[in-house]
Structures are given as C-alpha cells and as structure tokens.
Amino acid sequence: MRANQNSKTLSADELKFEELLASGRKIEPRDWMPDDYRKTLIRQIGQHAHSEIIGMQPEGNWITRAPSLKRKAILMSKVQDEAGHGLYLYSAAETLEADRTDMLEKLNNGKMKYSSIFNYPTPCWADMGAIGWLVDGAAICNQVPLCRTSYGPYARAMVRICKEESFHQRQGYEIMLTLCRGSAEQKQMAQDALNRWWWPSIMMFGPRDDKSPNSELSLKWKIKLFSNDELRQKFVDIAVPQANILGLTVPDNDLSWNEETGHYTYGEPDWEEFFEVIQGNGPCNKERVSNRREAHENGQWVRDAAIAYAEKRAKISRPKTTQDPL
Amino acid sequence: MNTSPAPSKSDLFKYTLRQADNSMVLCQRLCQWAARGPDLEEDISLTNIGLDLIGQARSLYQYSASLCDQQVNEDDLAFMRDSHEWSNLLLVEQPNGDFADTIARQYLYDAWHLLFLEQLTESNDTTLAAIAAKSIKEVKYHNRHSSMWIKRLGDGTEVSHQRMQDAIAAVWPFTAEMFIPDELDQRMLEFGTGVDLKALKHTWDSQVSSLLVDATLSKPVAGEAIVGGRQGQHAEYLGDLLEEMQSLPRSMPNHQW
C-alpha cells in the first residue's frame, strides 16, 4: 500500500506511460506499458473480437431465410462486417503480442469469454430487427467512447467499426419499423422480439458499477471512459423514445420519465440470469461454442493445405533469390 | 452477332430468368456457409462472392419482372416459384459438401460464367449487355479466388489433394450441361441476343485442363452428361434449398418486409 502511494518509486518507463496517459495521447505498440495494462487490453479486445465472431451465428441463422432479396443482401453484408470487425480486433490484439490462433483456441475451449448477448436464440425474423436496433444500439453506446480509448490500435479499429455499427443499428430499426407498420401479426412479432431482447440488451453493459471488478483500473488507464451504469442510462434514454415511435411497449413496469434528472428511471434486470449466462448456462452457450469449434475443426485440413502449398511455393522460389541477390 | 428481328418478350423473359436463377441458387448455397468457413478470411470471401451473386440476381430478376406479362417484382420471382419453375444449371444447386466440394463447384462454374459474360456483353439487348459488363468485374475475382484454392488444395497436403480430386470428379458430370444449348438458347443466339454455348467449350476445356495440371490434379474422364436444369428438371436438392429460402414470405404472403 505504502509503495503504491509513493510515486517516487515509479520507474522512468512508468513515468513516461503516466505522462502519455495524462496528456491524452495514444499508447502505441512500441511504447512501454504495464503488464496489467497489456493483459487487460488483450482480454477486452479478445472478448470483443470473439463477440463479433460468435455474433455471426444468431444472424447467420436467418441469412438463408431472409424474407426479401433486399433484406438478404443487407443481412449478408452485416454478417460479413462482423467477420471483418473480428479481423481488425484480432489484429489490434496482435500488436500487443497476442496470437490469433491462441485466442481462438481459448474461445473454443471456453477459456476466453464473449458477450453473453449472443447466447440468446433468434427464433423469429423480427429478432434480426431487434438485434440491430437494441444489441447494436447498445454496442454503439459502449463502443463510441472506445474510439478515444488510450491504446492507439484499438481506438483506430473502433473508429471503423463504429461507422459500420451505426449502419447495422439503422437497418435493424428499419426492420422493426416495417414490421410495426405491417399487419397485426407482424407487429406482434416485433413486440415479442422487443420482449426477448430488451433485458439482455440492458445487461450488455455489464454488472452495476458497485459490482464491476474490472472497471476501476480500466477507467484509470483510460481504456474505459464511462462506467457501466452511465452507458446503460444513455442507452435507455435513447431506446425508450425509439420504442415509442414504433408503438411498442418496453417490457419494464418500473420504467418512467424523471423530470428532475432528465433521465428515464428503469427497473433492475435479473442479475441472476446474467451470471448464469456468463457461467455458460444460457439458452445457446453450448450450441454457439460447439458450432465455432466444429467450423474450426472442419477447416483444419484446409488451413493445413494452404500452409503446405505456401511452403512448397517458397521452396521453389528460394533458389532464385539466392542466385540473384538483386 | 446477327441482328433483327428481336426475340419475343416471353423468350427474353425466360432467358434472363435462367441467368438470374443461376446466380440466385449459387448465392443461396454460399449463404449456407455463413460462420462455417475454414477461417475468417474465407468467411469474408465466400460472403463477398455471395453478395456479388445476389446483386447480379437482383438486376436480372428486376429486368425479368419488367418483361413479364403478369405484375411481378424481383421477390415474387425469387420466393414464389416452385422448383420445377426454376431454370438454373444443375451444377449450381449441388450441395456444399466440404470446402473442396464447394470450391470445385465454384471454380467450374466461375470459369464458364466468365466466358459466358464476356460474350453476353456483345448482346444486342443493351440491358443484358450492361448487366454482363458490370458482372464481369466481379466474376473475375470469383474465378481468381476459386482457381487459387484449386491449386492450394490440389497441391497442398495428401488429404487435401485427395479431397479436391474427389470433389472435381463428383461435380464433373454436371458441367456438360453448360455447353448444350436448347431451343431457347438457339433462338436467342440467332437473334444476336444470347450466347453461343457450344463455342465456350473449347476455351473452358483448355483453361480448366491447364489449371488442373498446375494443381497436380487429373481431369476426370467425360462420362454421361446429366442435364435438365434449364427445363426445370432438378434433383431433390433444389426443393430443399427453396423450401428454406422461401419459407417466410410463403407462410405470410402479401406482406412487406
């Protein structure tokens, strides 16, 4: 405790790191950084990348069944964007000396986590609307501040990701709007989807601030710029008026507008469910991970072939380069 | 290409629909790969190719719809026809199988598709020619992608070599259909609107043979051709594929989505 309080014991590296953070400049891969800063970032970026990859499944589930050619093309694009986001993020993690293959292995054997939201099922087309509107909407609240996060490669990846997420959010809302302007049956589909996705979306921001073990350090290191509860409030304030425009009812009996604070007051999510899903007991945890593992294992011979082919090519071209130094 | 008189509207409709159906069915097959690719890069590539194909299908369905006597739109054509009304080549409806099967189907089609489109740009139907000119840029990439994988898998490991060889053999009987014109193809060719399918065979053969040699693969012996796709005679595969694709709009017809 005393050593921590005594700033004189900071090394030159540590001082420089603190200075960079304080000045608001980015930490870059070449800069010295504390081990825990590196580990925290690898954990966060890795989880984020895994969430993108696992997140392809609940929507991929509807690509073959999208109800119009326009919706099909949009959904294909969106799921493709998610694979792209996964790639940028794994690349950002690699600048911290993490390895994509190793991270994917940890995802496949359950040693690394991904956002719990993707452990909920998508039984109905309206879920494509609700995911875009609410899940991507919540992701944007979380991710826009990350464009200013202290680690440079992560911040830059997030700028690009946020642009695409904003398109995803709008297309989801537009699906909801079309359903709500359609038949009574379609509007009911939209309401059911809102009922299914509202609380899981609220819980996407993580535990309450007083129960979030990793938040304090992340805030100090400017990896995180707002607390879980601040971001959650922001999301509720944006999403409730959007639900009103759709003519749908948010499934929260405690929801009310608070004139004094200028914010909505909302009810307490079922945190027991939240921790159960994190522990692997959500409706689709096993299915999502086993699909991922299956794709990975089925692709092993393909990846092996690509490596073998590249090695053969390298052998053929090598003698030329040794003979001709130019 | 010969000119005048112009083909009948109904012939042009059917001819355009054939090309649309090819792109649509192959797109749907690639959609089935979503999140199942051998790596992330391939997930992205396969979806990219699928997106190009759905874009081509939409342009062609929209054009077909404008030629149709009934009041229809692109979605009616894609979602409301039964399998016997589909006129795609049998090759594109073949199941995904493993990655080698998907690549074999893709490459043998891409190589043909590119030659087909090159000719179609010379069609006297300006819409078909314009759609072909736009699609060529995309299909060049498809062809490069699938050729690359034929080589990697053919000349990769023993396992991949065998799988690639088996995959080529499995779809080979469906390739002959691409070069056998029926009466509609013949009429469209005479009007200067359609493509001379027989004339594509020689170039396709030599391109495919040379790639297979590069990939250390042997060319299957030409067996009996399996045909009938253009006449709506499909295997059970297509029915299953369409049942999945069309399920929602068919269960709730006349809805906006």
Side-chain angles (χ1 to χ4, degrees):
Chain A
M1 206 51 199
R2 188 170 291 174
N4 280 345
Q5 285 168 351
N6 188 350
S7 60
K8 278 185 293 188
T9 58
L10 288 181
S11 68
D13 281 338
E14 286 168 321
L15 273 174
K16 198 177 162 210
F17 176 80
E18 297 285 341
E19 265 173 39
L20 269 176
L21 271 188
S23 70
R25 273 177 294 165
K26 299 290 176 225
I27 310 294
E28 295 297 338
R30 61 175 180 273
D31 296 325
W32 180 91
M33 61 189 82
D35 276 349
D36 285 343
Y37 177 83
R38 184 185 299 274
K39 277 185 202 149
T40 303
L41 274 169
I42 292 175
R43 185 178 58 87
Q44 181 169 334
I45 299 173
Q47 275 186 18
H48 189 169
H50 295 336
S51 304
E52 298 281 358
I53 302 312
I54 295 287
M56 291 164 72
Q57 289 184 39
E59 289 172 297
N61 175 32
W62 276 93
I63 285 185
T64 51
R65 291 179 293 159
S68 74
L69 294 180
K70 179 183 140 190
R71 293 291 180 207
K72 195 184 198 70
I74 292 174
L75 195 58
M76 288 169 77
S77 254
K78 181 175 192 283
V79 173
Q80 189 192 34
D81 283 350
E82 283 154 9
H85 297 174
L87 268 187
Y88 312 153
L89 289 163
Y90 287 124
S91 302
E94 281 175 338
T95 67
L96 293 158
E97 289 161 31
D99 175 61
R100 198 217 295 189
T101 314
D102 175 56
M103 283 190 286
L104 280 172
E105 204 167 298
K106 286 181 176 148
L107 169 66
N108 291 342
N109 64 25
K111 285 188 182 153
M112 272 183 94
K113 296 207 180 303
Y114 55 88
S115 178
S116 277
I117 194 82
F118 301 115
N119 290 318
Y120 291 89
T122 52
C124 162
W125 168 251
D127 293 322
M128 297 304 98
I131 287 184
W133 170 36
L134 298 171
V135 176
D136 293 327
I140 291 170
C141 289
N142 262 330
Q143 292 172 1
V144 166
L146 289 176
C147 298
R148 292 181 285 126
T149 193
S150 60
Y151 187 59
Y154 189 25
R156 290 188 287 273
M158 290 315 301
V159 171
R160 192 156 169 191
I161 289 173
C162 282
K163 282 184 190 159
E164 293 177 349
E165 289 293 350
S166 136
F167 160 73
H168 296 175
Q169 196 272 346
R170 276 178 288 163
Q171 68 83 37
Y173 192 71
E174 205 243 327
I175 290 176
M176 295 301 269
L177 204 56
T178 308
L179 292 174
C180 291
R181 285 174 180 166
S183 68
E185 202 181 343
Q186 283 177 308
K187 189 161 182 185
Q188 189 56 48
M189 285 165 78
Q191 180 66 55
D192 290 346
L194 170 58
N195 295 349
R196 271 197 294 279
W197 291 94
W198 178 258
W199 288 110
S201 301
I202 292 287
M203 293 191 277
M204 270 178 78
F205 297 92
R208 276 173 23 182
D209 290 350
D210 53 5
K211 302 226 163 92
S212 176
N214 298 318
S215 281
E216 201 183 327
L217 260 182
S218 289
L219 285 164
K220 178 188 157 221
W221 281 331
K222 297 187 181 173
I223 293 174
K224 222 171 151 164
L225 300 173
F226 298 98
S227 76
N228 293 356
D229 288 336
E230 284 171 328
L231 293 167
R232 191 175 358 254
Q233 182 68 56
K234 196 173 174 202
F235 170 72
V236 173
D237 289 346
I238 293 171
V240 173
Q242 290 173 336
N244 294 339
I245 292 171
L246 295 173
L248 298 178
T249 310
V250 173
D252 178 356
N253 294 331
D254 298 321
L255 189 73
S256 63
W257 175 250
N258 185 328
E259 282 290 349
E260 245 170 71
T261 60
H263 293 291
Y264 283 94
T265 305
Y266 55 92
E268 198 68 24
D270 181 353
W271 291 114
E272 207 170 301
E273 176 186 310
F274 175 77
F275 289 109
E276 276 295 308
V277 181
I278 287 191
Q279 292 312 315
N281 302 320
C284 301
N285 295 55
K286 287 183 185 69
E287 191 187 330
R288 301 283 187 243
V289 176
S290 97
N291 285 344
R292 178 91 280 284
R293 206 180 293 138
E294 197 182 304
H296 188 77
E297 286 165 6
N298 288 344
Q300 188 63 50
W301 70 273
V302 178
R303 297 189 299 276
D304 290 346
I307 292 168
Y309 178 79
E311 281 170 357
K312 284 184 196 174
R313 295 293 103 188
K315 262 186 206 159
I316 292 167
S317 60
R318 210 170 289 145
K320 265 188 198 165
T321 51
T322 48
Q323 279 164 11
D324 179 10
L326 291 176
Chain B
M1 279 183 177
N2 186 358
T3 52
S4 81
S8 72
K9 210 167 134 187
S10 122
D11 270 2
L12 191 54
F13 166 74
K14 282 188 212 148
Y15 191 75
T16 307
L17 202 57
R18 286 182 175 183
Q19 321 316 330
D21 286 351
N22 282 338
S23 293
M24 190 66 238
V25 170
L26 189 53
C27 165
Q28 181 69 4
R29 280 288 181 225
L30 294 178
C31 286
Q32 293 169 339
W33 270 101
R36 292 183 176 87
D39 63 18
L40 266 181
E41 284 80 353
E42 258 336 276
D43 272 326
I44 293 175
S45 304
L46 293 177
T47 312
N48 231 9
I49 296 164
L51 276 166
D52 289 340
L53 291 170
I54 199 173
Q56 294 165 14
R58 291 185 70 187
S59 302
L60 292 162
Y61 282 136
Q62 285 162 14
Y63 185 43
S64 307
S66 76
L67 298 163
C68 187
D69 292 333
Q70 294 154 326
Q71 189 71 28
V72 291
N73 61 28
E74 55 171 6
D75 288 330
D76 296 325
L77 292 172
F79 294 98
M80 296 299 166
R81 283 180 304 139
D82 291 333
S83 73
H84 69 272
E85 296 169 281
W86 282 67
S87 52
N88 57 279
L89 294 161
L90 296 177
L91 175 65
V92 295
E93 74 195 41
Q94 297 309 306
N96 283 342
D98 66 14
F99 189 67
D101 292 314
T102 290
I103 288 297
R105 180 187 66 203
Q106 189 71 39
Y107 169 67
L108 297 172
Y109 179 72
D110 290 343
W112 174 85
H113 197 193
L114 193 52
L115 297 173
F116 179 89
L117 292 171
E118 277 166 7
Q119 266 215 26
L120 194 62
T121 56
E122 289 169 35
S123 170
N124 60 5
D125 184 279
T126 51
T127 308
L128 281 182
I131 294 172
K134 182 176 177 285
S135 309
I136 278 182
K137 295 176 200 155
E138 299 163 346
V139 176
K140 272 186 184 158
Y141 160 74
H142 305 174
N143 190 49
R144 203 165 65 228
H145 172 266
S146 56
S147 307
M148 219 166 60
W149 275 110
I150 296 272
K151 285 197 268 185
R152 282 180 183 150
L153 298 180
D155 194 14
T157 61
E158 260 177 57
V159 172
S160 71
H161 175 84
Q162 193 55 49
R163 286 190 180 214
M164 196 67 248
Q165 189 69 66
D166 293 347
I168 296 272
V171 287
W172 196 259
F174 299 100
T175 56
E177 189 183 25
M178 301 191 286
F179 308 100
I180 303 173
D182 67 357
E183 285 175 7
L184 175 61
D185 289 309
Q186 211 53 52
R187 284 199 298 277
M188 295 304 276
L189 176 62
E190 281 161 19
F191 288 127
T193 309
V195 170
D196 184 354
L197 295 179
K198 284 185 193 160
L200 306 180
K201 178 86 164 92
H202 179 73
T203 318
W204 184 86
D205 255 338
S206 72
Q207 286 179 357
V208 170
S209 304
S210 127
L211 183 75
L212 292 181
V213 169
D214 275 359
T216 71
L217 295 163
S218 47
K219 192 174 169 183
V221 185
E224 202 167 326
I226 306 178
V227 299
R230 275 192 287 252
Q231 288 71 41
Q233 293 154 11
H234 298 278
E236 288 169 1
Y237 301 131
L238 186 69
D240 294 342
L241 176 143
L242 293 177
E243 192 180 325
E244 182 182 32
M245 182 174 107
Q246 300 174 332
S247 57
L248 183 51
R250 285 205 173 203
S251 70
M252 292 172 73
N254 304 316
H255 281 65
Q256 294 294 313
W257 298 98

